[in-house]
């Protein structure tokens, strides 16, 4: 079997579990052969060894039983950064890049002499913290998570991108162990309702950590606690940005208003016009 035949076979097999069978077949084969995209397409007529064929079959078998491709290959691109991912943390989603863009905008509005302090709460694999450390070289960043495994993964991703000295990794429940005030709180915390979590596809429900996704009965339990803790951790005129579900704008805004009566509170939509980020400027 040559490279092209292997790709075609995987593309034929993957549609029952994948909306992007071509892309996933390519990612799995590249991982199997340890080559980049350009090399794979140069090698289309090259024969796979017996061992390579066996390895590739095993990768496709894992995908067919709903293991996400990003966990199989151990990496995912986020904000143009190649990140390590493991089941200790969720696979970073493209929609979360909006949160990073908004945090960068806020930072750039404040070209103060003092380094901006940013806390990434629920850092997971460190996607947001690492992206911000690279985009904002003057900023001091704290990355918080209650999962020890996620924090270790986030540290490895910071080392991978040479920003480990710029990020303080903090184990704890939301802002409780953050012992300073920050200018920006940026958070992608669990916001799926428990009922919706139970109905998620097996790729997510059986492989990604429930602690990272299940936000309780209305999905907003963790975000509400973050809002309650935030006043004591934000500097005057600080900003809180937190990702929310596409139908949570009204409820999230109301929750923010109960804590921040005089703040500017708004919902920022994603490119599809759906609720995506709760932004609070105190
Ligand atoms: C949706 S994931 C987001 C991960 C990462 N920020 C991203 O965008 O890919 C939520 C993260 O919040 C963490 N988390 C959940 N509850 C928490 C809490 N009470 N305190 C701190 N972290 C928490 C989880 O361990 C998980 O890593």
């Amino acid at each position: 079997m040559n490279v092209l035949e292997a790709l075609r076979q995987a593309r034929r097999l993957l549609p029952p579990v994948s909306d992007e069978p071509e892309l996933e077949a390519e990612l799995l084969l590249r991982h199997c052969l340890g080559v980049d995209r350009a090399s794979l397409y140069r090698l289309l007529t090259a024969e796979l060894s017996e061992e390579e064929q066996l390895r590739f079959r095993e990768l496709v078998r894992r995908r067919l039983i709903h293991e996400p491709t990003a966990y199989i290959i151990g990496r995912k691109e986020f904000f143009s950064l190649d990140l390590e991912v493991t089941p200790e943390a969720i696979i970073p989603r493209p929609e979360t890049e909006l949160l990073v863009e908004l945090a960068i905008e806020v930072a750039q509005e404040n070209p103060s002499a003092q380094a901006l302090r940013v806390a990434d709460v629920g850092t997971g694999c460190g996607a947001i913290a690492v992206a911000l450390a690279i985009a904002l070289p003057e900023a001091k960043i704290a990355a918080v998570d209650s999962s020890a495994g996620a924090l270790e993964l986030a540290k490895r991703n910071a080392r991978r991108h040479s920003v480990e000295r710029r990020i303080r990794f903090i184990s704890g429940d939301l802002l409780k162990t953050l012992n300073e005030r920050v200018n920006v709180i940026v958070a992608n915390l669990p916001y799926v309702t428990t009922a919706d979590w139970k109905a998620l596809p097996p790729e997510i429900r059986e492989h990604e950590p429930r602690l990272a996704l299940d936000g309780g009965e209305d999905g907003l339990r963790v975000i509400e606690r973050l809002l309650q803790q935030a006043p004591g951790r934000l500097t005057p005129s600080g900003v809180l940005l937190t990702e929310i579900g596409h139908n949570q704008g009204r409820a999230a805004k109301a929750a923010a208003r109960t804590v921040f009566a005089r703040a500017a509170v708004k919902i920022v939509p994603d490119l599809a016009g759906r609720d995506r980020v709760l932004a609070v400027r105190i």
Side-chain angles (χ1 to χ4, degrees):
M1 177 185 282
N2 66 26
V3 166
L4 182 59
E5 287 160 348
L7 272 177
R8 284 189 176 144
Q9 194 182 70
R11 282 179 199 149
R12 267 199 311 276
L13 291 169
L14 291 174
V17 296
S18 169
D19 295 334
E20 297 177 302
E22 300 208 354
L23 174 66
E24 294 196 44
E26 182 197 303
L27 289 171
L28 292 172
L29 190 53
R30 276 173 47 192
H31 175 68
C32 174
L33 302 177
V35 295
D36 63 17
R37 185 155 205 253
S39 308
L40 187 77
Y41 284 94
R42 269 200 307 273
L43 287 171
L44 286 178
T45 55
E47 286 296 313
L48 267 65
S49 69
E50 277 294 312
E51 200 213 322
E52 287 167 341
Q53 288 186 42
L54 279 176
R55 267 208 322 264
F56 186 53
R57 227 172 272 147
E58 173 58 12
L59 299 181
V60 174
R61 185 195 67 77
R62 284 169 62 185
R63 183 65 192 93
L64 290 173
I65 55 170
H66 300 284
E67 191 172 342
T69 290
Y71 285 154
I72 298 173
I73 67 175
R75 57 207 290 184
K76 178 75 184 175
E77 192 177 295
F78 177 82
F79 217 71
S80 303
L81 298 169
D82 179 45
L83 296 176
E84 178 188 345
V85 291
T86 74
E88 295 286 357
I90 65 155
I91 300 159
R93 307 295 204 264
E95 54 266 31
T96 302
E97 294 184 359
L98 175 61
L99 210 49
V100 178
E101 285 162 11
L102 293 172
I104 293 171
E105 270 175 34
V106 170
Q108 287 169 345
E109 283 167 14
N110 291 288
S112 73
Q114 238 191 345
L116 200 81
R117 291 178 190 274
V118 183
D120 169 23
V121 187
T123 195
C125 73
I128 297 170
V130 172
L132 289 177
I134 293 170
L136 304 170
E138 302 298 319
K140 295 202 167 105
I141 295 168
V144 185
D145 210 290
S146 54
S147 154
L151 272 184
E152 286 308 312
L153 175 61
K155 283 181 198 166
R156 289 202 295 280
N157 275 318
R159 274 198 294 277
R160 192 182 185 107
H161 291 283
S162 309
V163 288
E164 73 274 22
R165 286 165 194 273
R166 306 260 325 287
I167 303 175
R168 221 153 44 87
F169 294 91
I170 301 171
S171 168
D173 176 27
L174 303 175
L175 301 169
K176 282 187 187 162
T177 49
L178 183 72
N179 54 11
E180 61 178 0
R181 287 187 184 259
V182 294
N183 307 89
V184 185
I185 292 172
V186 55
N188 178 19
L189 287 161
Y191 57 73
V192 178
T193 68
T194 302
D196 286 348
W197 177 83
K198 288 181 181 155
L200 284 170
E203 276 79 358
I204 304 177
R205 200 185 60 248
E206 290 169 16
H207 292 276
E208 297 193 282
R210 182 172 183 174
L211 170 73
L213 296 162
D214 185 348
E217 201 179 332
D218 64 356
L220 291 171
R221 292 291 155 86
V222 187
I223 290 175
E224 279 166 4
R225 286 204 303 116
L226 176 78
L227 287 166
Q228 282 150 15
Q229 293 177 15
R233 291 290 181 275
L234 274 174
T235 54
S237 75
V239 174
L240 178 146
L241 300 163
T242 184
E243 189 167 310
I244 55 169
H246 65 90
N247 52 4
Q248 291 176 332
R250 269 170 76 125
K253 223 171 162 175
R257 285 245 167 274
T258 64
V259 180
F260 297 99
R262 290 200 301 272
V265 178
K266 67 174 180 178
I267 302 299
V268 184
D270 59 22
L271 285 176
R274 292 170 305 202
D275 298 347
R276 181 54 60 195
V277 173
L278 167 70
V280 181
R281 187 182 288 268
I282 62 171

